[in-house]
Amino acid sequence: MRHGKKFNHLGRTAAHRKAMLANMGCSLIEHKRINTTVAKAKALKQFIEPLITKAKTENNQTTEKGTHNRRVVFSNLRSKEAVTELFSTVAEKVGDRPGGYTRIIKLGNRLGDNADMAMIELVDFNELYNAGKPKKKSTRRSRRGGGAKKAEAPAPAAETKTDDSEE
């Protein structure tokens, strides 16, 4: 039975699982993409995304809160180099993204044991996917009406009328 099973234990003890996720998180931050099994990739996604959020929000706060976030992330990752990379390069690149920092792409089955393999990568560091899509503006839309759209619609028509009258 799976009563109260909130996450995948991956067939490991708690210490082994935490150490493995810390090592995989450091590798993901260092290399920006890694190949692993689908189950480990999903577990790593749940592990790394809150840490990236802490690194991202650190840039907007005072140094005391930033130091606390660095210590919290370090207690999970256990690598000074990975924490430095996360808080500098990765945090700058994902600064405007509201979430979803990683992407899991399924690769097929491993040859030896037929395990489902996947590639997990940091979304903003893949230039192939980001090259074709233009940067879209983040706007908040409401259901109440297009007050801004209605105000903008007559403006171009008025400009064309003034251009015609000048000629």
Side-chain angles (χ1 to χ4, degrees):
M1 291 183 284
R2 70 176 303 286
H3 295 304
K5 184 179 176 187
K6 299 289 185 190
F7 58 93
N8 193 347
H9 296 282
L10 300 172
R12 288 162 171 80
T13 61
H16 186 187
R17 186 172 52 252
K18 287 176 185 174
M20 182 191 65
L21 289 173
N23 289 333
M24 289 174 64
C26 292
S27 297
L28 180 64
I29 291 167
E30 180 184 350
H31 299 294
K32 310 302 185 256
R33 78 172 49 126
I34 56 173
N35 290 338
T36 184
T37 62
V38 173
K40 286 181 189 174
K42 289 179 179 178
L44 180 61
K45 183 172 188 150
Q46 288 180 342
F47 175 79
I48 201 75
E49 292 213 355
L51 301 181
I52 296 174
T53 302
K54 284 191 182 302
K56 182 179 77 168
T57 57
E58 181 266 345
N59 295 334
N60 303 326
Q61 295 176 347
T62 62
T63 56
E64 293 84 18
K65 290 186 179 180
T67 304
H68 175 68
N69 283 338
R70 279 182 183 265
R71 288 176 177 164
V72 169
V73 170
F74 179 75
S75 70
N76 287 320
L77 285 181
R78 307 173 189 173
S79 170
K80 287 183 183 178
E81 294 81 17
V83 171
T84 305
E85 176 83 9
L86 177 64
F87 275 75
S88 59
T89 310
V90 177
E92 281 181 24
K93 199 103 172 197
V94 301
D96 56 341
R97 182 176 290 277
Y101 311 111
T102 57
R103 175 187 296 131
I104 296 175
I105 301 171
K106 294 185 179 178
L107 300 176
N109 295 339
R110 188 160 49 197
L111 200 57
D113 60 354
N114 209 30
D116 287 334
M117 296 300 289
M119 177 177 65
I120 183 168
E121 64 182 359
L122 295 173
V123 171
D124 290 313
F125 288 89
N126 188 343
E127 288 79 22
L128 297 177
Y129 281 124
N130 297 338
K133 298 177 183 173
K135 192 110 172 166
K136 65 177 188 177
K137 295 192 301 182
S138 61
T139 58
R140 295 183 182 257
R141 297 181 183 165
S142 66
R143 292 173 163 251
R144 287 191 291 164
K149 292 180 185 176
K150 290 178 186 174
E152 292 176 9
E159 290 175 8
T160 57
K161 288 180 185 176
T162 56
D163 291 339
D164 292 338
S165 63
E166 291 175 2
E167 289 178 359

